[in-house]
Amino acid sequence: MTDLLKRFVSKQAIVTGGASGIGQAIAQRLASEGAAVHLFDRDAKAAGLVVAEIESKGGEAQAHLVDVASQESVAAAVASIDQIDVLVNSAGIAAIGNLAETTSEEMDRVYAVNVKGVYHCMREALPKLEASAGGAILNLASIASHVGIQDRFAYSMSKGAVLSMTLSMARDYLAAGIRCNCISPARVHTPFVESYLERNYPDNKKEMFDKLAAYQPMGRMGTPAEIAGLAAFLCSSEAAFITGAAYAIDGGVINLR
């Protein structure tokens, strides 16, 4: 990233799930480009560490203890922010299992965070995005929004909904000047992947890591920084002619696998 990029000076951005992984990388990227970043996360300690890191590099950030599954929690945090120019919905949870293995409780748990969480944040931020006369929303979808992935029934349901909500939001708020897009990553090397492997494959972590990496035709996982680069572009004025789009950032999975 060039130091000359300062596309978010005087802008304020919300990044949900900003305390780790992809959300953290996006928060850091937006802050490095001049945005005042508001991290919405349930992990106050981790969010505080990200804020401290951003501030140590001259950026501006604030942590908000938020459960995106709760409309009241989201509403209270949004009310404390005077201006919203960018909303990035990155918070999400995973679920493994096919239809027969997925319980009703698991469906509700995933829906509450991955679907209702996006709804809550878009709905509560909407008036301030409208007031900014050119606000941008970016939702984190997934390759599971577009292709079938084995043993990801509940997760795929939720990410399909994210794609549909993105298209609906983009259509409904064209006249308000709000752009809404989503990005669809394949596997990204985050702390979640490491904890998943440690928990489920402690004796053959490297073998399973290599297998997960090989799923992408490019032969590796993406990095959070790569996702953040695309996210920053789509939230910036350089993408002013882009709305209602779903960008695959997947190492070739959707079209080449």
Side-chain angles (χ1 to χ4, degrees):
M1 182 188 68
T2 173
D3 290 334
L4 297 176
L5 284 178
K6 290 291 182 183
R7 297 177 289 193
F8 299 97
V9 173
S10 301
K11 303 290 187 181
Q12 295 200 47
I14 294 172
V15 180
T16 72
S20 64
I22 292 172
Q24 176 182 345
I26 293 173
Q28 291 169 326
R29 177 64 183 260
L30 296 181
S32 75
E33 293 199 32
V37 179
H38 299 268
L39 282 71
F40 283 15
D41 207 282
R42 294 188 301 177
D43 189 335
K45 181 178 179 181
L49 292 173
V50 176
V51 167
E53 183 178 358
I54 288 172
E55 291 178 338
S56 74
K57 297 179 180 178
E60 184 178 349
Q62 182 178 347
H64 302 258
L65 183 61
V66 177
D67 178 1
V68 297
S70 163
Q71 186 162 4
E72 293 76 13
S73 180
V74 172
V78 168
S80 71
I81 303 170
D82 61 350
Q83 171 188 332
I84 301 173
D85 304 286
V86 173
L87 168 64
V88 179
N89 285 303
S90 180
I93 58 176
I96 298 174
N98 60 27
L99 171 62
E101 296 164 341
T102 302
T103 65
S104 177
E105 291 77 17
E106 183 76 345
M107 285 288 285
D108 289 343
R109 184 180 74 90
V110 173
Y111 180 80
V113 177
N114 293 7
V115 181
K116 289 292 288 291
V118 174
Y119 158 76
H120 290 152
C121 292
M122 290 198 298
R123 192 173 193 278
E124 294 302 324
L126 178 59
K128 292 179 180 179
L129 285 164
E130 288 180 307
S132 73
I137 298 173
L138 182 69
N139 297 323
L140 267 292
S142 165
I143 56 169
S145 306
H146 309 272
V147 299
I149 299 179
Q150 188 173 4
D151 294 329
R152 296 294 188 276
F153 181 80
Y155 181 77
S156 297
M157 169 278 299
S158 71
K159 292 303 182 178
V162 169
L163 171 59
S164 295
M165 286 191 293
T166 297
L167 298 176
S168 182
M169 182 74 194
R171 170 69 70 180
D172 288 342
Y173 290 92
L174 277 169
I178 296 174
R179 298 184 300 106
C180 187
N181 296 293
C182 65
I183 55 180
S184 299
R187 290 191 175 95
V188 179
H189 189 190
T190 64
F192 173 82
V193 171
E194 290 297 323
S195 63
Y196 168 78
L197 292 173
E198 185 64 42
R199 186 171 61 252
N200 294 283
Y201 304 98
D203 299 324
N204 57 337
K205 272 183 63 176
K206 185 180 185 308
E207 176 187 346
M208 289 307 301
F209 181 91
D210 291 344
K211 182 177 180 180
L212 293 176
Y215 179 80
Q216 287 72 222
M218 290 183 72
R220 66 173 179 87
M221 299 186 202
T223 69
E226 288 171 328
I227 309 303
L230 178 57
F233 165 70
L234 289 172
C235 292
S236 77
S237 60
E238 290 186 272
F241 199 52
I242 301 174
T243 192
Y247 277 75
I249 179 163
D250 65 350
V253 170
I254 293 175
N255 291 319
L256 303 180
R257 194 170 187 275

